[in-house]
Amino acid sequence: MNFKKITWICFVLLVVLQLWAPASMIYNREDVLKNGKAFKFRTAPVDPSDPFRGKYIVLSFDENSFENKEKIDWAGNEDIYVQLITDKAGYAKINAVNKKNMVKGIDYVKAKVNYLSYDSLKTIYIEWPFERFYMEESKALAAEQAYIKASADTSKVTYALIKVKNGDAVIENVFINNKPIVTLIQK
């Protein structure tokens, strides 16, 4: 082959690769939203917004720690696999934390160790991969203000509906008193 043919073949392969990478990321997220199991994570109050972070709601979750009863050494920023179950009220609870990938058929999320607390047991604090809920730019500020106000009010229930599949997790929506946040800010 001559140099021109090789150059064109390389160019076409490069274009295909550049299109395939974001398309596969989008497909994986959509697959989790469509086929993943839903978990409701209760949210916790969060500090006011940071103007440098962009157009999303910063979420904090009540369920963010696990008491390690086994003699396993954990390290900050380490990849972990968090097994989830649902409590009697229908909210997500951490059932187990492991360093190894969970078995298929078990609902789990790949996360990171945020930090450790060395009390009588090692408490593992988890950094979830879904701590930001991106929204349309024009609605994000009003939604964040509504979320901050509702999460500070103990009479209101705020939670994020997270879809989980094979370790991947995607936020489907954020709710205040069982109503999607977008519908509350449109009033």
Side-chain angles (χ1 to χ4, degrees), residues 28-93:
N28 287 341
R29 293 269 184 192
E30 291 299 320
D31 182 48
V32 171
L33 283 172
K34 185 177 179 184
N35 300 313
K37 183 175 179 180
F39 284 91
K40 296 190 296 186
F41 277 78
R42 279 189 183 255
T43 59
V46 70
D47 290 335
S49 65
D50 180 352
F52 299 106
R53 290 196 172 199
K55 305 299 180 192
Y56 58 86
I57 300 174
V58 178
L59 300 172
S60 177
F61 299 98
D62 284 343
E63 193 67 17
N64 70 345
S65 64
F66 183 76
E67 287 188 9
N68 178 32
K69 296 176 183 163
E70 298 178 24
K71 302 293 181 201
I72 299 174
D73 287 327
W74 302 94
N77 207 32
E78 177 178 20
D79 286 338
I80 56 173
Y81 298 88
V82 182
Q83 181 184 359
L84 300 173
I85 57 173
T86 305
D87 68 9
K88 292 177 184 175
Y91 294 98
K93 292 300 259 183

Side-chain angles (χ1 to χ4, degrees), residues 55 135-143 185:
K55 305 299 180 192
M135 299 187 66
E136 181 187 326
E137 192 172 320
S138 64
K139 297 177 183 175
L141 181 60
I185 62 172

Side-chain angles (χ1 to χ4, degrees), residues 42-172:
R42 279 189 183 255
T43 59
V46 70
D47 290 335
S49 65
D50 180 352
F52 299 106
R53 290 196 172 199
K55 305 299 180 192
Y56 58 86
I57 300 174
V58 178
L59 300 172
S60 177
F61 299 98
D62 284 343
E63 193 67 17
N64 70 345
S65 64
F66 183 76
E67 287 188 9
N68 178 32
K69 296 176 183 163
E70 298 178 24
K71 302 293 181 201
I72 299 174
D73 287 327
W74 302 94
N77 207 32
E78 177 178 20
D79 286 338
I80 56 173
Y81 298 88
V82 182
Q83 181 184 359
L84 300 173
I85 57 173
T86 305
D87 68 9
K88 292 177 184 175
Y91 294 98
K93 292 300 259 183
I94 298 170
N95 190 47
V97 176
N98 200 333
K99 287 188 176 194
K100 296 180 183 169
N101 201 342
M102 300 281 183
V103 181
K104 288 204 180 222
I106 294 176
D107 298 312
Y108 69 94
V109 174
K110 182 179 178 186
K112 288 194 176 288
V113 174
N114 193 5
Y115 63 93
L116 303 166
S117 173
Y118 291 94
D119 42 12
S120 60
L121 299 170
K122 279 189 186 175
T123 302
I124 304 165
Y125 288 88
I126 298 165
E127 181 181 327
W128 295 110
F130 45 79
E131 293 178 340
R132 296 177 184 169
F133 180 56
Y134 291 90
M135 299 187 66
E136 181 187 326
E137 192 172 320
S138 64
K139 297 177 183 175
L141 181 60
E144 185 170 32
Q145 290 170 347
Y147 166 71
I148 290 169
K149 184 177 178 185
S151 63
D153 184 349
T154 57
S155 68
K156 295 187 179 182
V157 177
T158 59
Y159 65 91
L161 186 64
I162 312 293
K163 291 285 187 102
V164 173
K165 182 180 177 189
N166 298 329
D168 293 326
V170 179
I171 300 175
E172 185 173 290

